[in-house]
């Protein structure tokens, strides 16, 4: 059982290929094979949501998907949300509204929040909390995360662009 | 956290997958969304040598209305169920349940057929499919068969599916006129699983009597069940707070209740009776006569 699976997947718009052991999880494909460490590993048991990425536009936990199952699919990670050196309006809102403290859960929270706003560009507080049930944050108590997502919804609705971090 | 090594197979048709299942026997497992199987493999509670990934098979996903029967492909995700327009009008109980399964990420990957085949005693759907009088369609080496939902859940984590069968779709009779439904759930705040979940489907006559009632309970015992004494007490009655409360008293009759760190048996009993009462009353209200 040492054979490998070959995978071709589109990550942040770029086609990538790899040969991996079948038991490789998507999160390990991203971090170990492709060196994209923006996606974090938390519990590894599908509960914490730190490893959340988008697969074909929907938020998924990348520790709960085999790399082989990403073959032929579109993956979006935190690295792809804004050009290098800039912040997406969602990231900007998290910064300004103090939507993070240690930041460990933040890439996952942002990928879930962006998926929410595609489906529902003007979510209520309850809808934001429901959408983020799968992302555990041990610092913020969620209060400022919810405020940041609301703020991001306003900015994205009025068409804000990514901003330079300098 | 890696599972034990396995060989990965991607069949190109249901027949292809059935051949693999037959060939690998006990060492083969079907993989769809993976949200029941991968966790137990990572915790090394399961060690299949062969994973047969059916998640890419065509024709096993989506919702179709065929006369007065709704057909749901086994690979339909929780998210698709939660947002499907056909289901909303013809079997709204299912979207109501799907919206409280897991979380956003789980709903995007987990599948209806996979969840049912896993037969977790604390999963949400079993209550719903029992209340909706669903039928399970399975394909095996000898062709297709239909399993009435009342025969489907046979024990803890065990369904009536044979090891060489694939659950392909679920059929649900569209709800009749003057029918209301409700799913009530006491949720484990950490896992999101039901400590107890109750689904009710109630049909009223023009003069407000209950002409049909089906109730499904999940989380309370080793497997989901219908409290038939409750249903029998409801049918023919003109429902009100007191009559429904009295009927709900039989909700755990003859059931060996689970008792664990989340809830002792006597607590589960009280919760079950209360959720049955609430679910039936709300279903009656929604039946709208």
């Amino acid at each position: 059982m040492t054979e490998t699976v070959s995978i071709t997947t589109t990550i942040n718009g770029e086609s990538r290929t790899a040969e991996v052991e079948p038991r490789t999880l998507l999160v390990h494909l991203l971090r170990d094979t492709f060196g994209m460490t923006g996606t974090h590993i938390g519990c590894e048991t599908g509960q914490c949501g730190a490893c959340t990425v988008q697969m074909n536009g929907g938020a998924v936990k990348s520790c709960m998907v085999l790399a082989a199952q990403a073959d032929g699919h579109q993956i979006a990670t935190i690295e792809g949300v804004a050009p290098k050196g800039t912040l997406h309006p969602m990231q900007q809102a998290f910064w300004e509204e103090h939507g993070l403290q240690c930041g460990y859960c933040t890439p996952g929270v942002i990928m879930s929040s962006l998926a929410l706003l595609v489906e529902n560009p003007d979510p209520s507080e309850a809808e934001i909390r429901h959408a983020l049930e799968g992302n555990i944050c041990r610092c913020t108590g969620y209060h400022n995360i919810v405020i940041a997502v609301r703020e991001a919804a306003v900015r994205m609705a009025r068409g804000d662009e990514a901003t330079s971090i300098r | 956290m890696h599972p034990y090594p396995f060989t990965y197979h991607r069949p190109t048709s249901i027949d292809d997958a059935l051949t693999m299942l037959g060939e690998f026997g006990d060492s083969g497992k079907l993989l769809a969304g993976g949200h029941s199987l991968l966790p137990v493999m990572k915790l090394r509670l399961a060690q299949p040598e062969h994973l047969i990934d059916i998640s890419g098979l065509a024709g096993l996903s989506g919702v179709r209305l065929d006369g007065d029967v709704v057909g749901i492909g086994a690979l339909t995700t929780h998210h698709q169920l939660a947002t499907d327009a056909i289901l909303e009008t013809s079997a709204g109980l299912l979207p109501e349940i799907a919206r409280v399964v897991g979380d956003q990420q789980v709903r995007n990957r987990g599948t209806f057929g996979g969840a049912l085949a896993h037969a977790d005693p604390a999963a949400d759907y079993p209550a719903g499919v029992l209340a909706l009088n669903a039928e399970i369609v399975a394909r095996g080496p000898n062709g297709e068969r239909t399993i009435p939902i009342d025969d489907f859940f046979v024990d803890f984590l065990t369904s009536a599916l044979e090891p060489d069968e694939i659950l392909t779709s679920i059929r649900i009779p569209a709800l009749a006129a003057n029918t209301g439904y409700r799913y009530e759930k006491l949720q484990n705040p950490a896992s999101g699983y039901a400590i107890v979940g109750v689904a009710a489907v109630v049909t009223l006559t023009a003069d407000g009597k209950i002409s049909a009632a089906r109730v499904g309970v999940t989380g309370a015992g080793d497997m989901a069940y219908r409290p038939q004494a409750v249903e029998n007490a409801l049918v023919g009655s003109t429902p009100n707070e007191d009559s429904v409360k009295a009927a709900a008293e039989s909700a755990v009759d003859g059931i060996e209740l689970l008792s664990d760190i989340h809830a002792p048996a006597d607590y589960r009993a009280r919760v079950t009776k209360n959720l049955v009462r609430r679910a039936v009353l709300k279903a009656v209200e929604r039946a709208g006569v």
Side-chain angles (χ1 to χ4, degrees):
Chain A
M1 283 189 279
T2 51
E3 70 259 61
T4 58
V5 186
S6 66
I7 301 164
T8 302
T9 174
T10 304
I11 301 180
N12 300 330
E14 191 183 332
S15 179
R16 306 290 294 263
T17 59
E19 287 280 332
V20 298
E21 216 188 324
R23 62 175 171 164
T24 307
L25 302 169
L26 175 57
V27 67
H28 295 299
L29 176 77
L30 294 170
R31 291 178 57 90
D32 305 341
T33 308
F34 295 143
M36 301 172 72
T37 53
T39 301
H40 291 169
I41 297 177
C43 68
E44 287 197 84
T45 51
Q47 296 168 64
C48 79
C51 66
T52 299
V53 299
Q54 291 174 10
M55 188 164 171
N56 306 326
V60 303
K61 295 169 186 167
S62 59
C63 81
M64 292 281 284
V65 179
L66 293 177
Q69 292 188 293
D71 183 45
H73 295 278
Q74 309 269 340
I75 305 297
T77 72
I78 190 70
E79 285 92 344
V81 301
K84 196 172 169 63
T86 66
L87 293 178
H88 185 280
M90 179 71 76
Q91 293 170 304
Q92 187 75 31
F94 268 71
W95 184 351
E96 290 178 22
E97 301 298 336
H98 306 284
L100 65 146
Q101 289 177 29
C102 85
Y104 201 86
C105 71
T106 311
V109 173
I110 285 184
M111 297 316 285
S112 289
S113 301
L114 287 171
L116 164 68
L117 293 191
V118 170
E119 282 217 339
N120 179 359
D122 185 24
S124 65
E125 176 182 340
E127 287 167 336
I128 293 169
R129 288 181 181 275
H130 183 60
L132 293 179
E133 274 174 355
N135 293 84
I136 293 176
C137 173
R138 297 289 78 153
C139 299
T140 63
Y142 305 98
H143 185 76
N144 287 353
I145 290 180
V146 174
I147 292 172
V149 176
R150 272 300 313 156
E151 176 61 23
V154 171
R155 292 174 184 213
M156 289 167 68
R158 70 178 183 222
D160 278 17
E161 307 268 327
T163 48
S164 169
I165 55 175
R166 295 214 162 68
Chain B
M1 188 181 289
H2 296 277
Y4 286 110
F6 55 83
T7 308
Y8 177 80
H9 306 268
R10 200 180 284 155
T12 54
S13 66
I14 297 175
D15 287 333
D16 198 13
L18 285 169
T19 306
M20 290 179 184
L21 264 186
E23 185 183 328
F24 302 141
D26 288 345
S27 64
K29 269 280 183 195
L30 294 174
L31 173 69
H35 275 50
S36 301
L37 182 58
L38 291 180
V40 296
M41 287 176 65
K42 288 201 285 183
L43 295 171
R44 305 205 165 189
L45 301 171
Q47 189 179 350
E49 286 170 38
H50 299 275
L51 275 199
I52 305 163
D53 183 358
I54 58 169
S55 63
L57 289 186
L60 286 180
S61 184
V63 179
R64 257 204 355 249
L65 188 61
D66 188 4
D68 54 4
V69 175
V70 189
I72 305 167
L75 293 179
T76 308
T77 63
H78 310 317
H79 177 74
Q80 285 172 283
L81 289 189
T83 53
D84 187 84
I86 294 173
L87 281 176
E88 199 61 54
T89 49
S90 41
L93 176 62
L94 268 189
E96 181 162 295
I97 293 175
R99 285 192 282 271
V100 297
V101 170
D103 50 51
Q104 177 186 190
Q105 294 96 315
V106 170
R107 290 191 290 273
N108 280 330
R109 282 297 291 168
T111 66
F112 189 36
L116 291 175
H118 188 53
D120 192 305
D124 297 297
Y125 289 129
V129 289
L130 283 167
L132 287 166
N133 198 16
E135 284 180 333
I136 303 295
V137 183
R139 285 262 303 271
N142 303 316
E144 188 172 285
R145 72 172 174 133
T146 302
I147 308 166
I149 201 66
D150 289 337
D151 301 334
F152 185 72
F153 300 108
V154 297
D155 204 347
F156 182 76
L157 293 175
T158 309
S159 77
L161 288 170
E162 296 295 334
D164 58 358
E165 284 183 316
I166 299 178
L167 192 167
T168 53
S169 70
I170 298 92
R171 288 192 198 134
I172 291 174
L175 294 180
N178 302 330
T179 299
Y181 57 83
R182 177 66 170 176
Y183 183 59
E184 288 279 347
K185 174 184 187 178
L186 178 70
Q187 170 169 315
N188 179 318
S191 71
Y193 273 95
I195 292 172
V196 177
V198 174
V201 175
V202 175
T203 306
L204 298 181
T205 60
D207 58 353
K209 284 194 165 66
I210 294 180
S211 58
R214 284 181 73 101
V215 179
V217 177
T218 193
D222 269 349
M223 57 179 182
Y225 68 96
R226 281 172 60 206
Q228 296 194 5
V230 175
E231 296 173 354
N232 293 340
L234 290 172
V235 172
S237 72
T238 303
N240 57 45
E241 288 269 352
D242 292 337
S243 72
V244 172
K245 185 175 181 191
E249 280 303 306
S250 337
V252 297
D253 288 3
I255 299 300
E256 197 173 318
L257 291 158
L258 291 175
S259 199
D260 55 29
I261 57 165
H262 306 300
D266 62 338
Y267 178 74
R268 272 196 166 81
R270 278 181 288 151
V271 170
T272 305
K273 291 174 191 177
N274 267 304
L275 294 188
V276 167
R277 177 179 58 81
R278 284 188 213 167
V280 170
L281 283 172
K282 188 71 182 177
V284 166
E285 183 191 318
R286 286 174 167 178
V289 170

